Amino acid sequence: MSAYRLSAAVQTLKPSATLAAAAKAKELKSKGVTVYDFTLGEPDFITPAHIRQAAVAAMEAGQTHYTPSGGIPELKKAVCGLYKRDYSLDFTPAQVLISNGAKHSIHNVIASLCGPGDEVIIPAPYWVSYSALVELTGATAVIVETTEASGFVMSPEQFRAAITPKTRLLMLNNPSNPTGAAYTAAQLEALARVAVENNVLVLSDEIYEKLVYAGAEFRSFASFGPDVAALTIIVSGVSKAYAMTGWRIGWTIGPVEIIKAMDNLQSQETSNPCSISQYASVAALEGPQTSVEEMRQEFERRRNYVMGRMRPWRERFGVTFAEPGGAFYAFFNVSSAFGKPLQGGKVVTNATDFCTALLEEAHVALVTGDAFGAPGYVRLSFATSMDVLKAGLDGIEAFLAG
Ligand code: PMP
Ligand code: GLU
């Protein structure tokens, strides 16, 4: 037997499709090709100055050592302060765990709660890492298909029907990556009631909480009463709202027992998240919030531009989509283009091949919906400049026109 035999858990693990698509676009760029890259969901803005300065100050003050594994008390307090200030929700620092980005937080939640024989309900389309992180623990991802007609919102009936005695968790992402779906308060509350009736925990991934558009309002899942809050595990972080993807700070807020178990796990796996990033995150959460709203407005401007360009595609190309109420993605169905000659005579029969051909012919990089449990769809991140959006949408249009 080969010494290089891999563990059963990683043998079937695929690389993150979003990161893989971004790497492919970068590779083409490195060959000198101008690529219109809409793969990664990350703000193109630099982290606001006062946050960068707080990082420098922390370094200069010697905050360059290990911190408690679950994060510095100042940041836990700042996280509690944010939920009080913005959502009137009361949490204690003992309910908070700081991790190396929200992706790490999600991993820690699942790894602390799930194992072989357990089921985790995931509405599709879902973010690429959800199913992968569930399967890594040996648990089963129970996928609930939502439709474009419903705005990719899971109904309470669908949720109820998916629950079995093995159900450990619902993973809900609001606003959603990749669909941009922003649940209304009534839709969330209906799901919350089903969770309470069936005593099912809800991992509420609220990383796009500050990025909602077209009058949509964000409500935290924990805000529907103490019975709901007792079953809610919030995951969020600084990556999207504060343009801090590289700093790797995310958090989990949940029942103390679960947070303690996650802290144990983290203390064995990674120790604390970067000390400097933690101090910078305190400044992000407690400092002026004007840049958050400025960036949101700019994302909304881009969203409106992208939607304005895409609406005629419905009639012209048979492309379909639900308009995003949050996050920074346009998610559209291109299956009407399958089997027909596209630019350069290319013929494709699925979304993955569509993305490959689009990159080769038009130098536009998207992520295939296949990675999000949504065959026929592709995802465009509009967290990039207007110029790139204009040129890239021209490219997609020419590609579809054939
Ligand atoms: N959840 C969702 C839905 C995401 O799109 C992302 C990607 N940034 C994350 C969690 C993880 O974010 P990060 O690890 O950068 O905090
Ligand atoms: N969440 C972002 C995305 O979906 C960043 C990449 C990743 O972490 O998957 O593009």
Side-chain angles (χ1 to χ4, degrees):
M1 198 181 288
S2 163
Y4 299 152
R5 185 175 52 91
L6 302 174
S7 71
V10 298
Q11 268 181 34
T12 53
L13 186 68
K14 294 191 199 77
S16 159
T18 43
L19 301 182
K24 216 165 140 189
K26 274 207 183 82
E27 193 189 312
L28 193 59
K29 273 185 227 166
S30 73
K31 292 181 182 150
V33 177
T34 302
V35 178
Y36 303 104
D37 185 359
F38 304 117
T39 54
L40 270 193
E42 71 167 333
D44 52 327
F45 307 109
I46 186 173
T47 306
H50 69 280
I51 303 175
R52 305 196 308 267
Q53 280 151 14
V56 173
M59 276 190 284
E60 294 299 336
Q63 305 290 10
T64 53
H65 302 275
Y66 292 133
T67 75
S69 60
I72 55 174
E74 295 91 323
L75 182 51
K76 292 184 178 188
K77 196 174 128 267
V79 168
C80 294
L82 163 84
Y83 285 80
K84 183 74 182 161
R85 180 188 69 209
D86 294 356
Y87 311 125
S88 303
L89 286 172
D90 288 301
F91 296 113
T92 62
Q95 290 180 272
V96 180
L97 182 79
I98 310 298
S99 299
N100 299 282
K103 192 185 276 189
H104 187 217
S105 304
I106 294 168
H107 164 75
N108 282 348
V109 174
I110 300 170
S112 301
L113 291 172
C114 304
D118 293 330
E119 293 180 354
V120 177
I121 299 173
I122 305 178
Y126 50 82
W127 180 43
V128 281
S129 296
Y130 281 12
S131 54
L133 290 174
V134 167
E135 282 154 16
L136 205 51
T137 69
T140 305
V142 175
I143 307 299
V144 175
E145 306 285 344
T146 66
T147 62
E148 192 181 290
S150 74
F152 296 113
V153 163
M154 182 175 69
S155 70
E157 293 76 25
Q158 285 182 302
F159 179 25
R160 192 176 290 115
I163 296 172
T164 77
K166 294 179 181 166
T167 305
R168 287 293 287 136
L169 202 62
L170 162 68
M171 289 177 77
L172 192 70
N173 180 208
N174 174 49
S176 158
N177 175 7
T179 66
Y183 281 69
T184 64
Q187 287 166 336
L188 283 180
E189 186 156 24
L191 294 179
R193 286 297 128 218
V194 176
V196 170
E197 279 159 28
N198 294 276
N199 201 30
V200 171
L201 286 169
V202 179
L203 190 173
S204 183
D205 179 347
E206 303 179 355
I207 190 94
Y208 296 100
E209 63 196 280
K210 300 295 182 207
L211 302 176
V212 288
Y213 316 115
E217 269 180 49
F218 170 77
R219 270 289 287 274
S220 176
F221 202 82
S223 69
F224 295 100
D227 51 351
V228 179
L231 289 172
T232 304
I233 303 167
I234 297 173
V235 168
S236 193
V238 293
S239 283
K240 314 290 171 171
Y242 299 95
M244 291 178 71
T245 47
W247 301 73
R248 313 307 304 133
I249 294 293
W251 57 77
T252 310
I253 309 174
V256 174
E257 240 177 298
I258 297 174
I259 293 296
K260 263 195 194 143
M262 288 173 60
D263 194 352
N264 288 347
L265 179 67
Q266 185 160 303
S267 75
Q268 297 286 12
E269 272 186 337
T270 59
S271 303
N272 62 277
C274 170
S275 58
I276 300 151
S277 297
Q278 289 190 68
Y279 284 96
S281 298
V282 173
L285 301 187
E286 292 185 343
Q289 302 295 303
T290 41
S291 52
V292 176
E293 176 55 15
E294 278 162 17
M295 289 191 275
R296 190 204 66 77
Q297 281 175 13
E298 179 57 25
F299 287 134
E300 179 149 23
R301 205 166 72 86
R302 295 170 184 181
R303 171 214 180 262
N304 292 345
Y305 173 73
V306 171
M307 289 298 109
R309 290 288 306 263
M310 282 178 55
R311 280 182 205 120
W313 295 3
R314 289 186 167 125
E315 195 156 329
R316 194 166 163 208
F317 304 122
V319 164
T320 66
F321 54 92
E323 304 207 354
F328 34 52
Y329 307 103
F331 195 62
F332 49 106
N333 191 313
V334 291
S335 56
S336 59
F338 298 168
K340 293 181 196 154
L342 298 163
Q343 193 177 26
K346 287 256 158 85
V347 177
V348 300
T349 54
N350 60 61
T352 303
D353 291 348
F354 180 94
C355 290
T356 307
L358 181 69
L359 185 60
E360 284 168 2
E361 287 298 320
H363 303 152
V364 174
L366 305 179
V367 184
T368 172
D370 291 324
F372 303 106
Y377 283 83
V378 292
R379 190 192 79 173
L380 177 152
S381 161
F382 53 79
T384 189
S385 76
M386 271 297 198
D387 289 347
V388 174
L389 281 170
K390 279 187 184 134
L393 288 163
D394 287 347
I396 300 173
E397 219 161 76
F399 181 74
L400 285 168

Short mmCIF file of all heavy atoms in Angstrom, two decimals, residues 41 100-104 106 127 130 173 177 205 207-208 239-240 245 248-250 329, ligand 1:
data_model
loop_
_atom_site.label_atom_id
_atom_site.label_comp_id
_atom_site.label_asym_id
_atom_site.label_seq_id
_atom_site.Cartn_x
_atom_site.Cartn_y
_atom_site.Cartn_z
N GLY A 41 -15.87 36.28 -4.41
CA GLY A 41 -16.73 37.20 -3.69
C GLY A 41 -15.92 37.91 -2.63
O GLY A 41 -15.91 37.49 -1.47
N ASN A 100 -10.59 32.03 12.61
CA ASN A 100 -9.81 32.52 11.45
C ASN A 100 -10.70 32.68 10.22
O ASN A 100 -10.54 31.98 9.21
CB ASN A 100 -8.69 31.53 11.14
CG ASN A 100 -7.74 31.36 12.29
OD1 ASN A 100 -6.89 32.20 12.52
ND2 ASN A 100 -7.89 30.29 13.03
N GLY A 101 -11.64 33.58 10.29
CA GLY A 101 -12.58 33.78 9.18
C GLY A 101 -13.85 32.99 9.45
O GLY A 101 -13.86 32.02 10.21
N ALA A 102 -14.93 33.44 8.79
CA ALA A 102 -16.23 32.79 9.00
C ALA A 102 -16.22 31.35 8.47
O ALA A 102 -16.95 30.50 8.96
CB ALA A 102 -17.33 33.59 8.31
N LYS A 103 -15.37 31.08 7.48
CA LYS A 103 -15.28 29.71 6.96
C LYS A 103 -14.79 28.78 8.08
O LYS A 103 -15.30 27.68 8.27
CB LYS A 103 -14.31 29.67 5.78
CG LYS A 103 -14.36 28.37 5.00
CD LYS A 103 -13.30 28.34 3.90
CE LYS A 103 -13.77 29.02 2.64
NZ LYS A 103 -12.86 28.82 1.50
N HIS A 104 -13.82 29.25 8.84
CA HIS A 104 -13.31 28.48 9.98
C HIS A 104 -14.39 28.35 11.05
O HIS A 104 -14.54 27.29 11.66
CB HIS A 104 -12.06 29.18 10.52
CG HIS A 104 -11.34 28.43 11.58
ND1 HIS A 104 -10.74 29.05 12.65
CD2 HIS A 104 -11.13 27.10 11.77
CE1 HIS A 104 -10.19 28.13 13.43
NE2 HIS A 104 -10.40 26.95 12.92
N ILE A 106 -17.58 28.24 10.58
CA ILE A 106 -18.55 27.24 10.11
C ILE A 106 -17.99 25.83 10.31
O ILE A 106 -18.68 24.93 10.80
CB ILE A 106 -18.90 27.48 8.61
CG1 ILE A 106 -19.64 28.81 8.46
CG2 ILE A 106 -19.73 26.34 8.04
CD1 ILE A 106 -19.78 29.29 7.02
N TRP A 127 -23.62 27.85 -0.71
CA TRP A 127 -22.21 28.21 -0.86
C TRP A 127 -21.36 26.94 -0.89
O TRP A 127 -21.61 26.01 -0.11
CB TRP A 127 -21.77 29.13 0.29
CG TRP A 127 -20.34 29.55 0.20
CD1 TRP A 127 -19.68 29.98 -0.93
CD2 TRP A 127 -19.39 29.59 1.26
NE1 TRP A 127 -18.39 30.28 -0.63
CE2 TRP A 127 -18.18 30.05 0.71
CE3 TRP A 127 -19.44 29.28 2.61
CZ2 TRP A 127 -17.02 30.21 1.46
CZ3 TRP A 127 -18.30 29.45 3.37
CH2 TRP A 127 -17.10 29.90 2.80
N TYR A 130 -20.31 24.64 2.16
CA TYR A 130 -21.27 24.06 3.10
C TYR A 130 -21.28 22.53 3.04
O TYR A 130 -21.09 21.85 4.05
CB TYR A 130 -22.69 24.57 2.83
CG TYR A 130 -22.99 25.95 3.36
CD1 TYR A 130 -21.98 26.78 3.82
CD2 TYR A 130 -24.29 26.43 3.40
CE1 TYR A 130 -22.27 28.05 4.31
CE2 TYR A 130 -24.59 27.69 3.89
CZ TYR A 130 -23.58 28.49 4.34
OH TYR A 130 -23.87 29.74 4.81
N ASN A 173 -28.19 30.62 4.96
CA ASN A 173 -27.33 31.75 4.60
C ASN A 173 -28.20 32.89 4.10
O ASN A 173 -28.81 32.81 3.04
CB ASN A 173 -26.34 31.29 3.52
CG ASN A 173 -25.39 32.39 3.07
OD1 ASN A 173 -24.92 32.39 1.94
ND2 ASN A 173 -25.08 33.32 3.96
N ASN A 177 -25.21 33.67 -0.56
CA ASN A 177 -24.22 33.39 -1.58
C ASN A 177 -24.53 31.97 -2.04
O ASN A 177 -24.54 31.07 -1.18
CB ASN A 177 -22.81 33.46 -0.96
CG ASN A 177 -21.71 33.06 -1.92
OD1 ASN A 177 -21.96 32.85 -3.09
ND2 ASN A 177 -20.49 32.96 -1.41
N ASP A 205 -25.74 31.81 8.84
CA ASP A 205 -24.56 32.46 8.29
C ASP A 205 -24.99 33.85 7.80
O ASP A 205 -25.67 33.98 6.79
CB ASP A 205 -24.00 31.60 7.15
CG ASP A 205 -22.78 32.20 6.48
OD1 ASP A 205 -22.48 33.39 6.70
OD2 ASP A 205 -22.13 31.48 5.71
N ILE A 207 -22.96 36.53 7.12
CA ILE A 207 -21.75 37.27 6.72
C ILE A 207 -22.07 38.46 5.79
O ILE A 207 -21.34 39.43 5.77
CB ILE A 207 -20.73 36.31 6.06
CG1 ILE A 207 -19.36 36.96 5.85
CG2 ILE A 207 -21.20 35.73 4.74
CD1 ILE A 207 -18.38 36.74 6.93
N TYR A 208 -23.20 38.38 5.06
CA TYR A 208 -23.57 39.49 4.16
C TYR A 208 -24.60 40.42 4.80
O TYR A 208 -25.32 41.14 4.10
CB TYR A 208 -24.10 38.95 2.83
CG TYR A 208 -23.04 38.18 2.06
CD1 TYR A 208 -23.00 36.79 2.07
CD2 TYR A 208 -22.04 38.85 1.35
CE1 TYR A 208 -22.02 36.09 1.41
CE2 TYR A 208 -21.05 38.15 0.68
CZ TYR A 208 -21.04 36.77 0.71
OH TYR A 208 -20.05 36.08 0.04
N SER A 239 -15.03 40.14 7.01
CA SER A 239 -14.56 40.05 5.61
C SER A 239 -15.34 40.95 4.65
O SER A 239 -14.73 41.68 3.87
CB SER A 239 -14.65 38.61 5.10
OG SER A 239 -13.60 37.84 5.61
N LYS A 240 -16.66 40.85 4.69
CA LYS A 240 -17.46 41.49 3.64
C LYS A 240 -17.81 42.93 3.99
O LYS A 240 -17.67 43.83 3.17
CB LYS A 240 -18.73 40.69 3.38
CG LYS A 240 -18.53 39.20 3.26
CD LYS A 240 -17.80 38.78 2.02
CE LYS A 240 -17.46 37.30 2.10
NZ LYS A 240 -16.93 36.71 0.91
N THR A 245 -11.17 40.72 3.90
CA THR A 245 -11.08 39.28 3.60
C THR A 245 -9.72 38.68 4.00
O THR A 245 -9.66 37.56 4.47
CB THR A 245 -11.33 39.03 2.10
OG1 THR A 245 -10.55 39.97 1.35
CG2 THR A 245 -12.78 39.19 1.75
N ARG A 248 -8.72 37.57 7.97
CA ARG A 248 -9.18 36.28 8.49
C ARG A 248 -9.74 36.35 9.92
O ARG A 248 -9.21 35.73 10.84
CB ARG A 248 -8.07 35.20 8.40
CG ARG A 248 -7.35 35.08 7.08
CD ARG A 248 -8.27 34.92 5.89
NE ARG A 248 -9.16 33.80 6.01
CZ ARG A 248 -10.48 33.90 5.75
NH1 ARG A 248 -11.04 35.04 5.37
NH2 ARG A 248 -11.23 32.84 5.87
N ILE A 249 -10.77 37.12 10.07
CA ILE A 249 -11.47 37.16 11.36
C ILE A 249 -12.97 36.90 11.14
O ILE A 249 -13.64 37.61 10.40
CB ILE A 249 -11.29 38.53 12.08
CG1 ILE A 249 -9.82 38.75 12.47
CG2 ILE A 249 -12.20 38.61 13.33
CD1 ILE A 249 -9.25 37.83 13.54
N GLY A 250 -13.45 35.85 11.80
CA GLY A 250 -14.88 35.55 11.79
C GLY A 250 -15.30 35.25 13.22
O GLY A 250 -14.45 35.12 14.10
N TYR A 329 -23.68 39.10 -5.66
CA TYR A 329 -23.64 38.13 -6.75
C TYR A 329 -24.86 38.25 -7.65
O TYR A 329 -25.98 38.44 -7.16
CB TYR A 329 -23.58 36.71 -6.21
CG TYR A 329 -22.46 36.52 -5.20
CD1 TYR A 329 -22.73 36.47 -3.83
CD2 TYR A 329 -21.15 36.41 -5.63
CE1 TYR A 329 -21.70 36.31 -2.91
CE2 TYR A 329 -20.12 36.25 -4.72
CZ TYR A 329 -20.39 36.21 -3.36
OH TYR A 329 -19.38 36.05 -2.46
N1 PMP B 1 -20.09 32.32 4.36
C1 PMP B 1 -20.38 32.70 3.11
C2 PMP B 1 -21.77 32.57 2.63
C3 PMP B 1 -19.39 33.22 2.28
O1 PMP B 1 -19.68 33.61 1.05
C4 PMP B 1 -18.07 33.29 2.75
C5 PMP B 1 -17.00 33.72 1.80
N2 PMP B 1 -16.35 34.77 2.13
C6 PMP B 1 -17.81 32.90 4.07
C7 PMP B 1 -18.83 32.41 4.84
C8 PMP B 1 -16.45 32.93 4.67
O2 PMP B 1 -15.93 34.20 4.81
P1 PMP B 1 -14.55 34.45 5.55
O3 PMP B 1 -13.95 33.11 5.81
O4 PMP B 1 -13.75 35.28 4.63
O5 PMP B 1 -14.89 35.16 6.82
#
